[in-house]
Amino acid sequence: QVQLVESGGGLVQDGGSARLSCIASGQIFDYTIMAWFRQAPGKDREFVAVINRALRTTYADSVKGRFTISRDDSKSTLYLEMNNLRPEDTAVYYCATTAGTYLYTIRRMYEYWGQGIQVTVSS
């Protein structure tokens, strides 16, 4: 079992910045792929960014150049630095993890999920 707990987020102004964190606990050794997804009201949960233990990353086109995913395995923590936020970035953000080496961008490939945290960007 793996537990994921997100923190950060909240209300941010258009053009502002925010940082999300996700602390992993439990049997995390094999769960090498960590990702962020988000879900806006009335929409499906969508991929945001993913990182593996070699620190290779992939981003959704909508956040490329504005968001940065990183991890600190000594703290079992995943981060998402979000800059130049826009109202359309408003969503509940989820961290997720799975085993393997491929940088999965598909929701169904992830085995464990956090409870989600709200990020609201006001215009």
Side-chain angles (χ1 to χ4, degrees):
Q1 290 285 337
V2 175
Q3 295 78 43
L4 302 172
V5 179
E6 301 98 337
S7 62
L11 180 62
V12 185
Q13 288 192 334
D14 191 356
S17 298
R19 188 192 198 199
L20 303 181
S21 300
C22 173
I23 298 177
S25 61
Q27 299 175 343
I28 62 174
F29 183 79
D30 292 331
Y31 292 88
T32 57
I33 307 300
M34 298 197 77
W36 291 97
F37 286 74
R38 67 186 181 185
Q39 188 165 15
K43 295 188 177 181
D44 290 335
R45 194 171 300 185
E46 66 175 6
F47 167 77
V48 174
V50 59
I51 187 169
N52 66 10
R53 279 204 178 143
L55 305 184
R56 289 184 59 203
T57 59
T58 295
Y59 294 90
D61 288 344
S62 59
V63 306
K64 203 171 292 183
R66 300 188 298 123
F67 290 13
T68 302
I69 188 171
S70 62
R71 63 192 290 167
D72 184 344
D73 287 338
S74 69
K75 298 180 180 178
S76 300
T77 303
L78 175 72
Y79 301 100
L80 185 68
E81 188 75 35
M82 304 183 290
N83 296 311
N84 192 20
L85 282 161
R86 306 164 181 167
E88 54 263 39
D89 294 316
T90 295
V92 176
Y93 284 71
Y94 298 88
C95 69
T97 189
T98 192
T101 58
Y102 190 75
L103 296 174
Y104 300 110
T105 62
I106 301 173
R107 176 183 175 180
R108 63 178 173 83
M109 298 305 295
Y110 286 84
E111 186 170 353
Y112 291 101
W113 293 83
Q115 80 286 353
I117 192 159
Q118 179 71 45
V119 174
T120 302
V121 184
S122 63
S123 56

